[in-house]
Amino acid sequence: GENVEQHPSTLSVQEGDSAVIKCTYSDSASNYFPWYKQELGKRPQLIIDIRSNVGEKKDQRIAVTLNKTAKHFSLHITETQPEDSAVYFCAASPGWAAGNKLTFGGGTRVLVKP
Amino acid sequence: NAGVTQTPKFQVLKTGQSMTLQCAQDMNHNSMYWYRQDPGMGLRLIYYSASEGTTDKGEVPNGYNVSRLNKREFSLRLESAAPSQTSVYFCASSAGPENEKLFFGSGTQLSVL
């Protein structure tokens, strides 16, 4: 089955700096790569996703890049703010035809220091 | 529109007891999922139901059973709880091929003593 590894496990940045989280996946059949944010005590929520036919996607201060050849994808947060402090999870899926079974990475705890 | 509703929010069981976690969604979604979340291990899929009438095993199905009662409801049953099942359980749903986004419930914190 799919295996998703996520690094780093914790990340501390100064407010205004950038944060980068990296993930690798093992199954070349995976074609959908979402990122979820989970604030303390809350449910995970989708913040951005990318499909295998796209190399990069941006949404305001967040962006995701995908390298299918190397089987890795990354989340970039620019101009970090205290409200970006949370745990971020990457995930990979073989797509709807295979049941949309997401395999999650272990998570990155991001702390933005004011 | 409540989204995904899970009950109970908290539960303490003794080893060997059984219980059922309930989940319902009001978004007319086709697929529903049960995940468990343990520290440092992300979210791991227990079972999922791609559509009404079907269920399949995920990564960690041992010790669990599920029922897709109708399109709205998907329950998770622990027949004989073990301390290793102490975790936070999340139910989720997604619409279909046109939108794979997962909508999560608020979670159930389960402790097995």
Side-chain angles (χ1 to χ4, degrees), chain A residues 4 6 15 19 21 26 43 49 53 55 58 60 64 66 70-71 77 80-81 87 89-90 93 103:
Chain A
V4 177
Q6 183 172 347
E15 183 178 356
I21 303 170
S26 61
R43 71 195 76 189
D49 56 11
N53 58 349
K58 288 183 180 179
Q60 299 183 333
V64 59
L66 171 66
K71 295 197 187 75
I77 308 173
T80 53
Q81 301 169 5
V87 179
F89 294 98
C90 62
S93 165
T103 300

Side-chain angles (χ1 to χ4, degrees), chain A residues 19-90:
Chain A
V20 180
I21 303 170
K22 299 182 178 182
C23 290
T24 59
Y25 62 99
S26 61
D27 189 351
S28 56
S30 288
N31 59 20
Y32 174 64
F33 307 91
W35 287 85
Y36 284 80
K37 175 183 180 181
Q38 186 178 28
E39 296 176 358
L40 189 62
K42 301 287 182 64
R43 71 195 76 189
Q45 293 191 304
L46 180 73
I47 54 171
I48 195 167
D49 56 11
I50 192 168
R51 297 185 186 280
S52 58
N53 58 349
V54 175
E56 184 175 359
K57 184 176 179 181
K58 288 183 180 179
D59 183 2
Q60 299 183 333
R61 295 185 298 106
I62 59 174
V64 59
T65 58
L66 171 66
N67 183 327
K68 273 205 73 178
T69 304
K71 295 197 187 75
H72 67 70
F73 56 114
S74 302
L75 178 72
H76 304 252
I77 308 173
T78 58
E79 300 173 22
T80 53
Q81 301 169 5
E83 53 264 37
D84 295 328
S85 294
V87 179
Y88 292 81
F89 294 98
C90 62

Side-chain angles (χ1 to χ4, degrees), chain B residues 10-83:
Chain B
F10 301 95
Q11 185 72 48
V12 179
L13 294 177
K14 294 181 180 177
T15 297
Q17 287 185 318
S18 62
M19 77 161 296
T20 299
L21 281 65
Q22 307 286 353
C23 176
Q25 51 90 11
D26 61 2
M27 297 173 282
N28 199 36
H29 283 174
N30 290 302
S31 298
M32 298 185 74
Y33 310 81
W34 277 104
Y35 284 89
R36 61 178 286 173
Q37 183 174 32
D38 302 293
M41 300 188 76
L43 294 130
R44 291 183 293 167
L45 183 63
I46 305 171
Y47 270 93
Y48 70 103
S49 171
S51 60
E52 187 179 357
T54 68
T55 60
D56 277 294
K57 295 178 180 179
E59 298 172 66
V60 288
N62 291 346
Y64 306 95
N65 284 301
V66 290
S67 295
R68 182 76 183 265
L69 304 169
N70 47 55
K71 193 171 186 180
R72 291 187 63 247
E73 298 172 286
F74 188 39
S75 62
L76 178 72
R77 182 159 178 85
L78 287 70
E79 289 291 352
S80 178

Side-chain angles (χ1 to χ4, degrees), chain B residues 70-108:
Chain B
N70 47 55
K71 193 171 186 180
R72 291 187 63 247
E73 298 172 286
F74 188 39
S75 62
L76 178 72
R77 182 159 178 85
L78 287 70
E79 289 291 352
S80 178
S84 60
Q85 294 178 305
T86 293
S87 188
V88 179
Y89 291 84
F90 285 99
C91 176
S93 68
S94 62
E98 72 283 2
N99 188 350
E100 291 147 303
K101 174 181 175 179
L102 288 185
F103 290 81
F104 284 88
S106 57
T108 296

